[in-house]
Amino acid sequence: MKIKSLIHLTLAAAIAGGAGGAFVSCSEERHPYYEATPEITDVYIDKLEEAINKLKSELSQAEFGEKKGMYPSESRAMLTDAIDNANRYVLLIKYANPSPSESEKQRYLNECDDALSRFRATVRTEDVKATPAELFVDGRGSGAESYIDFGHDEEYFNFGAAGMQSFTVEFWVKVTKAGGKDQNVFLSTLVNQDGWSMYWRNADGGIYRGTWGDEQGLVEPSFKAPADGEWVYFAMTYSDTGLPDAPALRARHYVNGETKTTEGGVGQRQYKFNVFAAHNKPMTAFGRYMRNGDDMLFEEGFAGYMKKIRIWKEAKDVNYLNASYNGEVTVTGSEPMLVAAWDFTTKPDRVDNVITDLTGRHTATIHGNYKWERIINND
């Protein structure tokens, strides 16, 4: 098989559906030499690459936040989506058979210009009058009634290549009333024995767990739970190849400034990540879906508060966890290893149950019995 044909087949898989035409297939010819892929030249490739660089420059220079001159976090997706599409269009021009028409190529360029214009139109013309608030959700009771749905996205589940999985999940939680089940689930992607989950469990007077699945089943390190009714900073870090500051450990559970438990087994067991496509349940807070498929059983919720949820595709060290716990870390949404982040510290101006995360890529939808409780500063 020719090298050129292999390239065509690979790109066909990457851009399938984008051209609507046929792609070069594998040749049965056999040659004692390798044939180099000819260089494709087209003025529209140059123009698209110029447009991509322009979009990237705009994204790198933009500030996202609630002050005048900044952009809403959800506007970020206008540029990232346009960049992804433009890169795909370059591949279509180079390798699609038949090649896109001149009008199609011009449309590709127009899309880039339109995305840039739409993005710039969202710049804030005045400071957002944010109301400091805490998000309360009463997730008690049976059924998927009151909880947060973060959507079904592989980014929450898959954090790298096989044997190289690394992630950190951190948040603040305050439990006001237990849900009455064996567990109060804080945040979870766990379905059956796949994914991860962080929760309180009714055992030994109350324990916390950060659980994940691997090829041998569930791994469930646990430790004595903090008291309910107070804000708790809870973080779990994991790496197949060992934590950056503790290579012999693959996991650490950290609460309120202290390492509570660790897990070894580096090189012996690996996080199970390649089953995402078989699942159809979203990441949730204040409870979880118990099984996959059409079974809608949802339970193990609680009543309380959550804030400053962050998911990273890297294992953070203790220095970072200390800084985050002490309020010394500012997350903007532009961090390269950040998967998703929600603050839940201010009441939205309009729709108050659909919240775009700081990266602009993900959306949290709050269902059921919830409220934004205004924070009164008496200082």
Side-chain angles (χ1 to χ4, degrees):
M1 184 184 295
K2 296 181 181 180
I3 292 296
K4 178 171 68 175
S5 296
L6 285 172
I7 293 173
H8 284 161
L9 288 172
T10 302
L11 288 166
I15 60 179
F23 292 94
V24 177
S25 61
C26 181
S27 170
E28 294 299 324
E29 297 178 76
R30 296 293 184 267
H31 294 276
Y33 60 87
Y34 294 115
E35 179 180 326
T37 303
E39 185 70 22
I40 303 297
T41 59
D42 190 302
V43 66
Y44 281 97
I45 293 177
D46 297 333
K47 289 181 178 180
L48 277 170
E49 289 178 344
E50 182 180 346
I52 290 169
N53 289 333
K54 191 174 182 179
L55 291 166
K56 287 181 175 179
S57 176
E58 188 83 8
L59 182 60
S60 67
Q61 295 178 40
E63 291 186 281
F64 296 87
E66 298 182 338
K67 300 295 184 182
K68 181 179 179 180
M70 294 183 174
Y71 294 87
S73 59
E74 55 266 30
S75 297
R76 190 191 307 270
M78 295 180 184
L79 296 182
T80 56
D81 288 350
I83 292 168
D84 290 342
N85 287 337
N87 279 314
R88 184 168 65 86
Y89 295 152
V90 169
L91 295 179
L92 287 172
I93 295 172
K94 284 185 175 181
Y95 301 107
N97 183 15
S99 178
S101 66
E102 292 296 302
S103 61
E104 276 291 283
K105 295 173 187 178
Q106 186 59 50
R107 181 177 66 81
Y108 300 159
L109 286 176
N110 292 342
E111 280 189 20
C112 294
D113 291 339
D114 179 61
L116 190 58
S117 297
R118 287 187 294 109
F119 174 77
R120 288 174 174 172
T122 66
V123 67
R124 297 194 188 278
T125 57
E126 60 182 10
D127 291 353
V128 174
K129 296 177 181 177
T131 301
E134 295 176 344
L135 174 61
F136 171 82
V137 177
D138 190 348
R140 296 173 297 165
S142 61
E145 298 172 356
S146 301
Y147 68 109
I148 305 177
D149 181 335
F150 298 93
H152 181 246
D153 195 305
E154 187 166 6
E155 279 199 283
Y156 303 147
F157 193 104
N158 184 351
F159 305 102
M164 301 291 289
Q165 295 278 311
S166 294
F167 63 92
T168 300
V169 182
E170 56 172 329
F171 52 78
W172 288 81
V173 61
K174 179 166 66 173
V175 178
T176 57
K177 290 185 180 180
K181 299 290 184 178
D182 283 343
Q183 298 176 167
N184 297 330
V185 173
F186 305 143
L187 189 64
S188 179
T189 65
L190 193 68
V191 178
N192 298 330
Q193 295 189 352
D194 304 323
W196 54 265
S197 184
M198 297 168 71
Y199 55 96
W200 172 96
R201 181 169 176 77
N202 183 19
D204 299 326
I207 59 175
Y208 269 22
R209 275 183 176 168
T211 293
W212 66 92
D214 66 18
E215 68 279 2
Q216 297 182 35
L218 286 180
V219 186
E220 303 178 298
S222 61
F223 54 93
K224 179 67 177 176
D228 290 346
E230 301 292 336
W231 279 109
V232 175
Y233 173 77
F234 186 13
M236 174 172 67
T237 61
Y238 178 90
S239 175
D240 280 338
T241 58
L243 301 180
D245 55 343
L249 302 176
R250 60 185 179 128
R252 171 184 287 118
H253 294 59
Y254 182 94
V255 170
N256 290 348
E258 297 181 9
T259 296
K260 292 296 186 179
T261 188
T262 59
E263 184 75 14
V266 175
Q268 301 172 25
R269 300 173 68 171
Q270 297 175 352
Y271 172 74
K272 189 176 179 181
F273 72 95
N274 58 353
V275 291
F276 175 82
H279 292 172
N280 62 359
K281 294 297 189 288
M283 181 171 75
T284 55
F286 296 91
R288 72 180 182 97
Y289 286 98
M290 304 301 290
R291 293 182 286 271
N292 199 36
D294 295 331
D295 188 334
M296 299 303 291
L297 177 61
F298 184 97
E299 59 184 26
E300 297 189 336
F302 67 99
Y305 305 77
M306 292 189 72
K307 65 181 179 181
K308 295 190 175 179
I309 297 171
R310 283 88 170 89
I311 303 172
W312 305 87
K313 53 185 177 182
E314 64 178 340
K316 296 290 190 180
D317 61 20
V318 169
N319 288 336
Y320 169 85
L321 299 178
N322 285 333
S324 185
Y325 167 62
N326 290 317
E328 298 166 355
V329 173
T330 299
V331 175
T332 66
S334 61
E335 294 80 2
M337 303 305 285
L338 183 66
V339 171
W342 286 268
D343 281 344
F344 295 143
T345 54
T346 58
K347 184 181 184 302
D349 281 341
R350 299 178 180 85
V351 178
D352 68 357
N353 73 319
V354 180
I355 316 297
T356 302
D357 90 307
L358 297 180
T359 73
R361 299 192 303 268
H362 308 287
T363 300
T365 303
I366 311 166
H367 295 275
N369 186 5
Y370 73 94
K371 59 181 176 180
W372 293 91
E373 297 183 353
R374 185 173 180 178
I375 299 173
I376 305 298
N377 190 341
N378 296 319
D379 294 343

